[in-house]
Amino acid sequence: ATKDEAKKHRYREKISEWLTQELCRDLFSSDGKYHKQIRIEENATGFSYEKLFQEYLTETVSEVWVEDPYIRHVHQASRYSLYNFVRFCEMLVKGPCKVKTIHLLTSYDEGSGRSKQVSGLEEIQQSLRNYGVTLNIAFSSSIHDREIRFNNGWMIKIGRGLDYFKKPQGHFSIGSCDFDLRRCHETTVDVFHIKHTKKM
């Protein structure tokens, strides 16, 4: 709104400088590899797995690695649910990628929940087999990081892993079925691209 040409020129320079810095920070990490960061705010909606991952799930994706220590029993409050992993697998089965193998590295549930966790994962494994997808399951007592890798070079790190959705307000409330309408916990998503993904 200012009519001062000197101020306009200075503002344009500052804005241009800021945009360049933000673009570089958003796209590239210090080693020159692609890096994009997405901030999911508390109670935000519109962050279903499809919205978050679809851009990176090209037709060349045939193998996926999931590291998440909390793929556990469904009755653990509203967190660490096997349902989230099922939703993620459903997205992979629907395509457009041609996933043939999913590698899951997680940790055992504590106490009596372990047997239910294992049987739940075996049920998912059998169900995926019906769609021509092999699920390889491994357990680690020391796993901490959460990341998802695709064999086309994309790697996604989510602060909360696959468990960034809040519990719906009721079984029949909006957002209970459609994850685009489900409220989220606050978390950060970092997307990288590397030339070679390291297998587990």
Side-chain angles (χ1 to χ4, degrees):
T2 182
K3 300 202 183 295
D4 187 326
E5 290 302 320
K7 281 186 178 179
K8 283 183 181 180
H9 180 70
R10 194 162 61 250
Y11 290 153
R12 285 193 194 101
E13 282 186 338
K14 285 292 182 186
I15 290 169
S16 177
E17 181 184 327
W18 180 81
L19 286 173
T20 301
Q21 289 174 351
E22 287 300 304
L23 183 63
C24 290
R25 182 161 47 241
D26 190 41
L27 293 181
F28 296 98
S29 59
S30 58
D31 57 4
K33 295 175 184 174
Y34 178 98
H35 177 215
K36 176 181 179 181
Q37 188 173 84
I38 302 163
R39 184 77 178 176
I40 300 178
E41 302 292 341
E42 185 75 7
N43 292 319
T45 58
F47 290 97
S48 66
Y49 294 147
E50 283 81 4
K51 288 283 176 66
L52 211 55
F53 296 107
Q54 208 66 263
E55 179 181 350
Y56 314 104
L57 286 171
T58 61
E59 292 184 2
T60 60
V61 175
S62 60
E63 200 164 5
V64 178
W65 292 265
V66 178
E67 290 186 11
D68 192 325
Y70 297 111
I71 306 297
R72 295 185 176 182
H73 185 47
V74 67
H75 295 305
Q76 278 199 332
S78 62
R79 303 183 64 203
Y80 312 144
S81 170
L82 288 173
Y83 279 134
N84 289 337
F85 185 63
V86 172
R87 293 263 184 173
F88 179 77
C89 291
E90 288 174 339
M91 175 194 64
L92 296 176
V93 168
K94 286 193 297 184
C97 56
K98 305 289 190 292
V99 172
K100 295 297 179 188
T101 309
I102 302 170
H103 304 273
L104 172 65
L105 179 63
T106 189
S107 61
Y108 278 116
D109 201 345
E110 298 169 356
S112 60
R114 179 179 294 195
S115 62
K116 292 179 180 179
Q117 176 196 22
V118 171
S119 64
L121 287 171
E122 287 174 349
E123 185 177 338
I124 297 170
Q125 190 176 48
Q126 178 56 51
S127 182
L128 283 167
R129 197 174 292 132
N130 296 333
Y131 288 88
V133 179
T134 299
L135 172 61
N136 296 321
I137 304 166
F139 295 93
S140 169
S141 59
S142 59
I143 180 177
H144 175 73
D145 291 344
R146 299 162 174 85
E147 69 179 44
I148 295 166
R149 301 192 301 274
F150 306 133
N151 66 328
N152 62 353
W154 289 109
M155 178 171 65
I156 295 95
K157 290 177 173 282
I158 309 174
R160 299 183 66 97
L162 291 173
D163 180 53
Y164 59 87
F165 295 107
K166 289 193 170 185
K167 184 178 180 180
Q169 293 179 326
H171 292 298
F172 306 108
S173 62
I174 297 298
S176 59
C177 297
D178 189 336
F179 273 29
D180 270 322
L181 299 172
R182 179 78 67 86
R183 293 184 304 140
C184 298
H185 293 284
E186 181 178 342
T187 194
T188 301
V189 181
D190 286 287
V191 182
F192 302 91
H193 189 278
I194 54 178
K195 290 183 178 179
H196 304 285
T197 48
K198 182 182 177 182
K199 294 185 179 182
M200 291 180 188

